[in-house]
Amino acid sequence: MFVFVKRAVWLVGALLITPQLALADCLAPDALKALDYRYEQALRTGDREFLQQLLRPDFVWVHNHAVAHESKADLLARLGADYQPPKSREPSEVVVIRNDETAVIHGLSTVDKFTDGPRHANSYRFMRTYVLQEGECYLLAGQTMKVWSTESAD
């Protein structure tokens, strides 16, 4: 019991003395994968409040073959009252690369849309850049490229 209490006191002290260290873990691979999954689900559900906090003011999303660019304001506007959320957004093959206070996460994301007819799904190769600033992780930029669609599947 004494060892547990001693470790708990040490941990609390470490958090109070070095809050930057405690928060820097948001870029660790497992933590960043979890944060990025929350981002995917916020896109799915239209959670503008979460995205308002996560996205940097200068956020940019470059869509498929650069046919569209979205700023933070553009994305939040698109997720407004008329937003038609997809049935699911599921990432796979997710990899994190980190250098100091910047991390890149990339993988595949399959977006399944609600339809009255046959399944309509698209898979995208994504790459997103997260930065650690003032003890918080923010999404700075993203890029997606469509790699598969039920419309083009045989």
Side-chain angles (χ1 to χ4, degrees):
M1 177 70 172
F2 175 74
V3 172
F4 174 75
V5 171
K6 184 176 176 182
R7 286 183 183 161
V9 168
W10 178 86
L11 180 60
V12 169
L15 292 174
L16 292 174
I17 295 169
T18 57
Q20 183 75 15
L21 250 172
L23 297 173
D25 198 44
C26 62
L27 291 181
D30 288 342
L32 189 58
K33 287 178 184 180
L35 180 61
D36 194 68
Y37 186 78
R38 286 185 63 200
Y39 167 73
E40 288 269 5
Q41 296 312 303
L43 290 177
R44 183 182 66 78
T45 63
D47 186 348
R48 294 168 41 149
E49 184 177 322
F50 174 74
L51 294 170
Q52 178 68 38
Q53 295 172 6
L54 179 67
L55 305 178
R56 287 225 352 116
D58 51 350
F59 167 82
V60 63
W61 181 353
V62 179
H63 290 271
N64 200 43
H65 301 291
V67 297
H69 297 79
E70 270 185 314
S71 67
K72 178 179 182 175
D74 295 335
L75 176 58
L76 293 175
R78 179 167 61 90
L79 299 176
D82 295 333
Y83 180 61
Q84 303 251 330
K87 183 167 62 172
S88 66
R89 287 187 73 94
E90 290 301 322
S92 61
E93 301 179 26
V94 178
V95 176
V96 173
I97 304 166
R98 181 178 181 174
N99 184 11
D100 296 324
E101 295 184 351
T102 303
V104 172
I105 189 166
H106 65 92
L108 289 172
S109 182
T110 300
V111 180
D112 229 327
K113 297 183 179 183
F114 284 108
T115 64
D116 291 335
R119 178 180 185 224
H120 180 80
N122 296 311
S123 284
Y124 299 91
R125 175 66 58 188
F126 71 85
M127 184 166 62
R128 294 187 271 267
T129 302
Y130 287 84
V131 293
L132 177 66
Q133 291 186 316
E134 299 174 5
E136 300 287 333
C137 280
Y138 296 97
L139 180 52
L140 176 63
Q143 182 172 9
T144 52
M145 182 182 298
K146 189 187 307 183
V147 294
W148 179 84
S149 173
T150 53
E151 296 172 355
S152 61
D154 293 324

